[in-house]
Amino acid sequence: MKQAAEMLSISVSTLRALVRAGEIAYVPRGVGTVRQHMGFDATDIEDFIRRSKVRLVPRNEATHTPAPGSFLANRAARLAARAARKTQK
């Protein structure tokens, strides 16, 4: 557990939570008196890392238009209407 947690740069309790959530597979290793002992395969850990990678892409406001009727489209319409009322006063 400790080595797998160090590979992922997380705590052992976070690793246990990921196992409970079904994010990382484990191999049962004996029966613990308090908790079950878990072993981890390096390929399962690498697979979890690959699935968890995030790539941030800069958002270009000129090309991004919210879907009609969506929350963002309605908000943009409300803000435009508010700005129009302020310019009329």
Side-chain angles (χ1 to χ4, degrees), residues 47-64:
D47 182 48
F48 172 76
I49 292 170
R50 197 174 309 107
R51 285 182 291 133
S52 300
K53 285 186 178 178
V54 176
R55 179 177 294 154
L56 296 177
V57 178
R59 193 166 132 182
N60 186 352
E61 293 296 328
T63 59
H64 177 74

Side-chain angles (χ1 to χ4, degrees), residues 14 20 30 34 37 41 55 57-58 60-61 65-66 77:
T14 302
R20 277 193 305 273
V34 178
H37 295 277
D41 188 11
R55 179 177 294 154
V57 178
N60 186 352
E61 293 296 328
T65 55

Side-chain angles (χ1 to χ4, degrees), residues 19-35:
V19 168
R20 277 193 305 273
E23 294 291 326
I24 299 178
Y26 73 96
V27 178
R29 298 186 133 185
V31 179
T33 56
V34 178
R35 290 186 176 135

